[in-house]
Each structure stands twice: as structure tokens, then as C-alpha cells.
Amino acid sequence: MTVGDLDLDACGREPIHRPGSIQPHGMLLAFSGNDAGATLIQASANAAPALALPLEQALGQPLERALHPQIATAVRSFLAAGPVPSRPVPVTVTELPGAGRHQLLAHAVPDAAGNGVVILELERLDGQETDLLDHVYPRMREALERLDALNAPADLLNCAAQEVRALTGFDRVLIYRFDADWHGTVVAEDGNGRLPSYMDLRFPASDIPTQARELYRLNRQRLIPDAGYAPVPLVALPPVPAGAAPLDLSFSVLRSVSPVHVQYMRNMETASSMSVSILLHGALWGLISCHHREPRAVSYAVRSACDLIAQILSVRIAAVEDRRDAEHRIALQSIQARLLAAMAQADPFIAGLTEHPDDLLHFANASGAAVVFERRCTLVGDTPTEEQVRDLVDWLATQGEPEQFETDSLPALYRAAADFEGKAAGLLAIAVSKLHASYVLWFRPEVVRTVRWGGDPRKPLDRDGQRLSPRASFETWKETVRHRALPWTAAERDTAAALRHAVIGIVLRKAEELAALSRELARSNKELESFSYSVSHDLRAPFRHIVGYAELLQELESDQLSATGKRYLDVIVDAANSAGTLVDNLLHFSQMGRSELTPVSVDMSVLVAEVRETLAPDTAGRAIEWNIAPLPTVRGDPVMMRLVLQNLLSNAIKYSRDREPARIAVGCEDRPTETIFFVRDNGVGFNQAYEKKLFGVFQRLHRNEEFEGIGIGLANVRRAVERHGGRTWADGRLDKGAIFYFTLPKAGMAKPDPRDLDE
């Protein structure tokens, strides 16, 4: 968009990750090449205290000649230790003559030619070093304990805001959540009253452009100690090619920020700010945004502690939201089962949808519904007239006959809806026939809402001469939102799609097939309930792990954080990450139970050979005697069968690694109604008394120090085999090896999941 000579999209295109300058509270040095031949190719104009030569002479020199000796020694040791990570990591804390103490950080980026560049940043501490043992770790332990004890999202958010402010000392800490349109709402706040409250205010998406949001997603931390700073340019080794892109500073802790953002801070009357990103499943969910009236520096150690709080908060929020979503889906699937059962008994079958009006409405949390099938129209609840519904169906048919259609603002798409938006401003519709314009429709009425914005969103930018300037007013501005209903949730959309597939296929199904569907639904519901419990239960262990290492640091480090302390800090971060791994594996475990089987002919001999090839890296250098008997072709889902064999063979390889040679056998036994497969090894075995625990989620009979793993592989094996109607069991003796069995029923002999029989 342009207005005269003013480009309104310039801010959204600004290359903020390549500003060509840094903030002045530190120095930046960039080296090309490996540790044996690292050469200084760029440096910030203020880097003289870190250099052994004048800046112009230092450029192009190897590391030892360019850097101050005590820095060169630390950097050389760091580079020699291994590959440099892509995210900044601490190298050392050093005292520069005449310049004070600095935190040295390093990370690697590719240059324009794709070669590696190591960026060293020296962030001035200025007396901001917080005593980690006396302040940060006790505060972190308290924060983790508080977060672990809370479950309500509002309580978690408020707790995180309070703990971050306690760690940093900022005047105000906000937690800012993005919506589907990238507008942000302040959902939690903690402050000392020196800055105005923004609680519950909404801010337009234009305040944080797309490329800025992407930077927040990639680089979770950003600090601006003084909004009044003068950028320090980067000086490159001449000659600089014409049109060469500036150095990529996406992950730099000193990266200079957009002048528009700096002016935005000044307009907010904040002299310094810090933000920490909150990610859910890899996507940007929101920000912890900190502000101070005067300039304020925060050490890297404290910022990292705040980042850890944000990561823990994201895990807890994800657990709460996933659990609520699972519970919602369970409720909707139960209603779906009743609707399908009613349809199986009704004549015509479609009439079964309206036999229980409350179920039809509750299925989509709607105030009205309509079933239009072969031009017959049945209305339930508060709906438009039959004529209006028929016209709406005709309009839907002109939209390319979508299988599913949903909107929370029907009048914006279908003008005639303005006449009945009080009953149907929102529409969720599924097509239930491929031959006729037949639909099931759910309606939601208009909901008039008042949104409190932090400033008028219609004026995101002011004109300052011919430059862009951010809006200067953040006074509360109220907007009345009309012509919209409450939006449809992902669970409602997904279960509506599932209902559509069921309705289309029900004409061709027999009553036995419908009963099997109900049993499968009941089993899936049980799995979802178990999943919801496991998420909330198993998240506690990583938090205890984090606290344990924090206490260990307190005991071992008395004066300052040593190299040993840094390693423990890494362990703390790894422990927090392990919580996310647990959740991911639980999700995978739950999803496998709900995914549809795709049975085809599977040659088990070929599949075993393919799995062995996949596992070849695990067997390299080992003496293993394989005994693979001829295996039959079975009917099953090839993905799940591969998962079964990969888990069993991987376990056999892992638990026999102390044997010389290891012996692994794969065979089968043919029976009239089923085929029994087995995988045998001569490994460490197990106590047969604990056989029932083997196939449980996170049940392990060996310590992690002995054999790596999280205890979900055999649970996946049992889940996959039971989905095929088979059984699993194991025989073993300590130090005498183990045999794992699974069965597959023969064609026409498929058995139901045993758990379904409990119903």
C-alpha cells in the first residue's frame, strides 16, 4: 500500500535481521574459517577494547593476532571443543582493561556463500551480574515449584509474570497472547505502578509485523537496555562486494532493532524492554514483554532463567490446552456415537439425526441446526426459516460444493444472511451426499462484543514528514464488534468432518459395522482419557529434575558460576526440554490409537530385511549372529507392522550389546486362526514377574544409565498389534535373554481389541 510517496508496507519488509549495526552495550566480532584458521572479517566500530590491534589492522588477521590475548585463549579453547551451535552460548566472563567485565557469547551463522561464520559478542555487564547462587537459582526453584502446583491457565500466566519481574526488576511485565489474526491481547500483568496497566487491552497485528514475529519464533530472547541508544555500525573487511547482504544477526543478543520499534518504545514511555517468546508446538503463542521507565540492563544468565520459565510455561499451557481439547473431543465423539446409533435404527436413516435434538445441537455447541436431505428440510432449535435455509443450501452448492464449510461471519460472505444474523451469523455445514445438495447445518447467533484496544487499531502508523512513525497514542479505544458469532473450534470442525464421512458411508454399512465403529470410538475415548491423565502426571518429573540440579549448583558453587556450573545449567535446560519430549511421545502414542488402519498384503520377510537395513548404524562394529526364518505374507497396516518390528529388533540390538557375539532370531509359528511371530535375543533379559509391566507406557525395567529410552516403544507395539486384533506377550530370564511374541489373526479371523469386550 502507498499513500503519495509513503510506502505503508515498508515496515513489514524491513530486513530487521540484517541491520548492519548493534546496540552499544557490547561489541561484536565475526570470524570466518575453522578454529585453526579463523580470520576476523567484521567487527563493530566500538570493538577496540577486545582487539590487540587497531580495528583497521585487525580485520583480516587470524584470531590470535586480532584479539586481546586473554580473549583469544578462551575463544581458541571454545572453538577447539567442537562445532559452534547456531544459538548463542556462553564462552567466558572476562575483564577488559579500561572497559569492565563482559560476558562473551558465541554462535555460528552461514555467510552469503554458505560458509560458516562464528559471531562473538561481548556483552557489558556493568555491575548487572546477579549472584546466581543467592538470587537466580533460589528464585528459579520457587518459580518452578509455583508453576508445578498450578493448573488454571490464568494462574499459570500470572505466576510467570510475577516470577519474571522478580528476577529482572522491570517496572512492568506483560504476557501477550496472539490470536488467529495475530492481534495480541494482554492476558497477564505484574507491575509496580510506575507504568500504566495494559491488562486485557488488545493490540493490532501491525504493531508486530510478520518478519518480527518470525524473529521472535526463531530467537526467543531480545533485550533493549536503552531505547535512546545510537547504533554502532559493523565494519567489514574490504573490499565489500557491491550489493552484499549485511551479516545475519537473527540470533545475536546485541542486534540493533528497527528505528520504528525504538520510536514505538519511546511513545510507550519505556526506556528499556525485554521480551521472551512463548512457543507452543513450535508456533509462536505469545510473548513475555518487560518494560522499564529508565534504561535497564539484564544479564544473560537472568535472561536465560526467564527463557526457562517461558519454556516451562509453554509446556504447562500446552498440557492444559491439549487436555481440554481431548476432553472436548471425547464429549463430541460420545454424541457422535449416539447420533450414528440413532441413524442405524431410523428409517429413513437421516431422520435419526433429528430424533434427539439436544444431541444434534450440542454436537457443535449450536443454537440451531438444519438437516437438508433430498430436498427435505428439518429444522431444530433457533434457525432461519425453511425458505432461507433452502436458499442458503443453494448458495453453498455454488461455492464449488465444499465438503465442509465454516465461518463465524456469514453476512460478510452471503449478503442475504444479514436478514437472519440474529440466528445464524455463524455457520458450520457438512455435505452428506455426493449426488444431491444435501447438508447438515449448524447455526450460531450474532454475538455483539466490545473489544478494548490499546490505541485505535485503524491508525497503526503516523506520518512524520515522509517517514513511517508508529502510533503515539495507547489510550484505551473501544470497538463494538458486530455481525460475528463465536468461532468454531478445531475439535468441532474435526468431529463434524468425521460425522460427514460416517453419514456418507452409513447407507452401505451393515449393523455389525456400525457396532464395531461404536466400540472403536469407546476405545479411543479411553485412550484419550489416559492420555490426558498422563500429560498432567508425567510433566512433574522433569520439573523435579530441574529443581534437583538447581540445588546441586547451590551446593557445589559458593562464589561464582564456574565451568562446572555452566554444565549444570545446560542440564537444567535439557531437563526442561525432556518435558516437551514426553508430551510429544504421549501425543504420538495417543494418535496411533485413533488413526485408521490401511490393511494390505505385507511380506514380513521383506519388511524384516528393510528394518534391519534401517537399524544398520546401531549394529556397526558389532558381532551379531542373525537367524531369520522364512516369514509369511500377512494382511496388515504396513506402517504399523514396520513400527512393531523396528521396536522389537531395536530392543534386541540394544539389550544384547554386552554379548559377544549377540544372537538375534526372528521366526514364526503357523496356527489355524493366527500366526505367532517372535523376536529372540541373548541379552540381559528381565524378571518374568514383571512381564506385565513391559508393555505399559513409560514402564522400564532397566535404569536409563544402563540402557537409553523412555519406555514407550513396547507400548506402541502392543497398541499396533491390538489394533490388528492380535496379542503380545514376552518370556525372559535375567541375564538369559528374552523372547517377545505377537500374533496376527488370519484373514476372516480378526479378533476385536480385548479392551472393547469390557464394554
Side-chain angles (χ1 to χ4, degrees), residues 88 103 290 323 590 661 695:
Q103 171 77 65
C290 311
R323 183 171 65 248
S590 175
F695 295 94

Side-chain angles (χ1 to χ4, degrees), residues 455-759:
D456 187 345
R458 299 173 301 178
K459 298 180 180 179
L461 297 171
D462 297 327
R463 186 168 180 167
D464 179 13
Q466 288 300 308
R467 297 181 305 158
L468 289 174
S469 177
R471 56 194 176 86
S473 173
F474 295 89
E475 293 183 1
T476 301
W477 185 86
K478 295 183 179 180
E479 176 190 21
T480 300
V481 178
R482 302 212 48 188
H483 316 301
R484 283 186 176 274
L486 294 176
W488 308 97
T489 67
E492 290 160 351
R493 296 194 301 268
D494 292 346
T495 49
L499 179 64
R500 174 187 175 274
H501 290 298
V503 172
I504 288 178
I506 202 171
V507 179
L508 304 175
R509 292 177 186 168
K510 299 178 181 179
E512 294 80 5
E513 292 173 331
L514 183 59
L517 176 63
S518 297
R519 290 196 300 271
E520 181 70 7
L521 179 61
R523 188 174 64 83
S524 296
N525 289 346
K526 284 186 177 180
E527 293 169 350
L528 283 171
E529 291 170 358
S530 175
F531 163 68
S532 299
Y533 170 80
S534 297
V535 167
S536 61
H537 179 271
D538 289 311
L539 278 174
R540 296 171 183 168
F543 296 152
R544 289 195 295 270
H545 197 186
I546 292 169
V547 174
Y549 273 102
E551 292 174 344
L552 183 59
L553 279 174
Q554 281 189 303
E555 295 174 5
L556 297 181
E557 303 294 330
S558 58
D559 299 324
Q560 61 182 4
L561 188 63
S562 65
T564 301
K566 293 174 186 175
R567 288 197 298 274
Y568 288 144
L569 186 58
D570 290 339
V571 174
I572 291 174
V573 175
D574 290 340
N577 289 335
S578 73
T581 302
L582 289 175
V583 174
D584 291 340
N585 281 283
L586 276 171
L587 286 171
H588 176 71
F589 180 74
S590 175
Q591 289 166 353
M592 187 177 68
R594 291 177 284 136
S595 60
E596 292 185 2
L597 292 177
T598 306
V600 297
S601 293
V602 180
D603 188 328
M604 297 294 277
S605 291
V606 173
L607 194 55
V608 167
E610 292 175 352
V611 170
R612 282 184 58 191
E613 184 175 352
T614 301
L615 297 174
D618 297 337
T619 64
R622 289 184 51 189
I624 299 179
E625 294 179 3
W626 292 92
N627 182 6
I628 311 297
L631 301 176
T633 296
V634 300
R635 188 157 185 82
D637 185 293
V639 174
M640 290 193 180
M641 287 298 98
R642 181 183 296 273
L643 180 145
V644 169
L645 290 172
Q646 184 152 337
N647 274 292
L648 294 180
L649 291 178
S650 176
N651 279 354
I653 292 169
K654 176 167 61 175
Y655 291 108
S656 64
R657 65 188 177 199
D658 294 332
R659 299 297 187 259
E660 191 69 30
R663 296 186 178 89
I664 301 174
V666 181
C668 68
E669 177 183 350
D670 184 62
R671 292 190 176 180
T673 60
E674 62 184 7
T675 303
I676 301 176
F677 295 87
F678 67 85
V679 175
R680 182 176 59 237
D681 65 72
N682 65 336
V684 296
F686 60 88
N687 188 330
Q688 188 66 26
Y690 299 110
E691 187 265 342
K692 292 186 177 179
K693 293 182 60 177
L694 281 173
F695 295 94
V697 181
F698 301 134
Q699 297 291 336
R700 306 195 69 223
L701 302 185
H702 301 278
R703 294 198 306 265
N704 203 52
E705 293 85 355
E706 297 175 315
F707 297 98
E708 66 280 3
I710 61 172
I712 204 169
L714 290 178
N716 279 328
V717 169
R718 172 160 286 179
R719 177 73 57 88
V721 170
E722 288 182 347
R723 291 293 309 279
H724 287 76
R727 300 173 291 126
T728 54
W729 70 95
D731 292 326
R733 286 195 298 164
L734 285 175
D735 208 42
K736 298 295 183 180
I739 309 176
F740 287 83
Y741 299 92
F742 68 94
T743 69
L744 292 177
K746 293 187 175 179
M749 300 290 183
K751 300 177 182 178
D753 186 327
R755 289 171 294 177
D756 291 343
L757 301 179
D758 296 337
E759 299 299 304

Side-chain angles (χ1 to χ4, degrees), residues 320-466:
V320 171
E321 292 189 355
D322 289 347
R323 183 171 65 248
R324 288 183 175 179
D325 181 67
E327 291 170 351
H328 190 193
R329 290 175 186 270
I330 289 170
L332 296 182
Q333 288 176 340
S334 296
I335 296 174
Q336 178 181 326
R338 293 198 295 270
L339 291 174
L340 293 176
M343 291 176 66
Q345 298 174 9
D347 188 19
F349 75 93
I350 199 68
L353 283 175
T354 56
E355 283 186 0
H356 302 284
D358 288 345
D359 276 350
L360 185 60
L361 296 178
H362 292 159
F363 181 76
N365 193 23
S367 58
V371 178
V372 180
F373 191 77
E374 296 179 349
R375 300 308 297 176
R376 288 179 293 181
C377 180
T378 305
L379 304 180
V380 174
D382 195 13
T383 69
T385 65
E386 181 175 333
E387 182 180 358
Q388 290 171 330
V389 170
R390 291 185 181 279
D391 290 341
L392 176 59
V393 167
D394 291 340
W395 174 78
L396 283 173
T398 66
Q399 305 304 302
E401 296 188 7
E403 295 180 349
Q404 184 164 325
F405 180 91
E406 67 270 342
T407 179
D408 61 354
S409 184
L410 185 59
L413 304 174
Y414 177 56
R415 290 185 178 180
D419 295 335
F420 51 80
E421 65 180 359
K423 298 182 178 181
L427 171 67
L428 173 61
I430 55 173
V432 293
S433 173
K434 298 189 177 186
L435 300 176
H436 309 283
S438 300
Y439 290 87
V440 180
L441 309 100
W442 291 273
F443 306 110
R444 284 180 179 170
E446 176 191 28
V447 176
V448 180
R449 291 170 289 167
T450 299
V451 177
R452 298 170 65 245
W453 293 86
D456 187 345
R458 299 173 301 178
K459 298 180 180 179
L461 297 171
D462 297 327
R463 186 168 180 167
D464 179 13
Q466 288 300 308

Side-chain angles (χ1 to χ4, degrees), residues 243-258:
L247 193 63
D248 185 348
L249 300 181
S250 295
F251 298 103
S252 166
V253 300
L254 299 173
R255 183 185 72 246
S256 192
V257 296
S258 165

